[in-house]
Amino acid sequence: MTTAPPSPRVLPHPARDEIRLESVLHALSDPVRMRIVSELADAEAALSCSRFDLPVTKSTTTHHFRVLRESGVIQQVYEGTAKMNGLRREDLDALFPGLLNALLTASRRQTARGARA
Amino acid sequence: MTTAPPSPRVLPHPARDEIRLESVLHALSDPVRMRIVSELADAEAALSCSRFDLPVTKSTTTHHFRVLRESGVIQQVYEGTAKMNGLRREDLDALFPGLLNALLTASRRQTARGARA
DNA sequence: TCCGTACTACGATGGCTATCGTACGAGTCG
DNA sequence: CGACTCGTACGATAGCCATCGTAGTACGGA
């Protein structure tokens, strides 16, 4: 099992051309979700949900990941008990060139500028 | 009166360093508001509220403009009975380099791609 | 002064959403 | 099998928000 055959549990994702800018912006307008995306971008590899230390409960975490997936920002795949999350960089870059980078930079800058909140 | 002295009616704007990324993204996650910003960007000069032909009533229009102003995306100044609106390009570019352009490009692209909705 | 235009304020309303807790399903490991 | 971990589903709740209509204010021109 070098690359384990995916579980039957498959999650619905929007196709590339179904991704809407409004939905992406709405998804990223929540600080918790922006943080998730930020960490995901730094990681460069898929991360399981439990790798994030978020200031909300597990149910809320599930909710946020779903919003990100349904808006097309991330990709989710079951791997055993874990659910691996990856940024949909290619799709986003193809649809909205430069946007993801600008958003990540903006987020990092703001974090650096004022660590309050 | 080449440049009319501003009316005493002054509107509250966030200072540059009070502009929050989340608020900007939230403001722009509404199609109506994104459209306003898009037209404002094309105009290059300040426009009065009534220059926009939006699919909502006047009260709702007022609401959207206020959200844009309070999030720091636009600047509003009374000029007689009209309220002139301008993009806060300099502030946004200073805070979040490349973001505004990426957003405008993304919006234009999406509009071009599918004119549905 | 009177009227019209531009925009606002207020209140209502329906819908969305972030949050939680609890109970459950799916895998993994002993 | 049994226990443990990871994540989900469901229901509840409270707050926000896009929308509207109506009534009102501010300004400029006749």
Side-chain angles (χ1 to χ4, degrees):
Chain A
M1 301 81 168
T2 43
T3 48
S7 306
R9 291 193 284 168
V10 180
L11 298 156
H13 290 76
R16 175 185 288 191
D17 61 305
E18 282 168 355
I19 299 178
R20 304 286 299 170
L21 178 59
E22 314 88 78
S23 308
V24 171
L25 295 184
H26 171 249
L28 264 23
S29 70
D30 184 290
V32 175
R33 291 193 290 257
M34 179 54 101
R35 179 164 152 184
I36 291 173
V37 170
S38 228
E39 292 188 30
L40 229 35
D42 290 345
E44 194 56 67
L47 294 178
S48 73
C49 293
S50 55
R51 292 285 274 272
F52 296 83
D53 188 28
L54 301 172
V56 292
T57 63
K58 268 196 307 178
S59 349
T60 306
T61 300
T62 297
H63 164 69
H64 284 310
F65 274 104
R66 184 175 34 192
V67 172
L68 286 171
R69 170 170 47 83
E70 289 179 345
S71 67
V73 177
I74 68 170
Q75 197 181 4
Q76 296 193 294
V77 176
Y78 280 105
E79 205 146 308
T81 73
K83 191 152 87 173
M84 306 305 289
N85 306 277
L87 257 189
R88 293 182 66 175
R89 264 187 206 279
E90 285 199 8
D91 290 321
L92 294 174
D93 285 344
L95 286 170
F96 314 124
L99 182 60
L100 185 58
N101 271 341
L103 286 167
L104 291 169
T105 303
S107 175
R108 266 184 232 113
R109 278 216 179 190
Q110 178 166 287
T111 303
R113 208 163 48 235
R116 78 259 182 177
Chain B
M1 301 82 165
T2 43
T3 49
S7 304
R9 291 194 283 169
V10 179
L11 297 156
H13 290 75
R16 176 185 288 192
D17 61 306
E18 282 168 355
I19 299 178
R20 305 285 300 168
L21 178 59
E22 313 89 78
S23 308
V24 171
L25 295 184
H26 171 250
L28 264 23
S29 71
D30 185 290
V32 176
R33 291 193 290 256
M34 178 56 100
R35 178 164 152 185
I36 292 174
V37 170
S38 228
E39 292 188 29
L40 230 34
D42 290 346
E44 195 56 68
L47 293 179
S48 73
C49 292
S50 54
R51 292 284 275 272
F52 296 83
D53 188 29
L54 302 173
V56 291
T57 63
K58 269 198 302 178
S59 351
T60 306
T61 300
T62 298
H63 164 68
H64 284 310
F65 274 104
R66 184 174 36 193
V67 171
L68 286 172
R69 170 169 48 82
E70 289 178 346
S71 66
V73 177
I74 68 170
Q75 196 180 5
Q76 296 192 295
V77 175
Y78 279 106
E79 206 146 309
T81 73
K83 190 152 86 173
M84 305 306 288
N85 306 278
L87 257 189
R88 293 182 64 176
R89 263 188 207 278
E90 285 200 7
D91 290 322
L92 293 173
D93 284 345
L95 286 170
F96 314 125
L99 182 59
L100 185 58
N101 271 340
L103 285 168
L104 290 169
T105 303
S107 176
R108 265 184 236 115
R109 277 215 179 192
Q110 179 167 284
T111 304
R113 210 163 45 235
R116 76 260 182 176

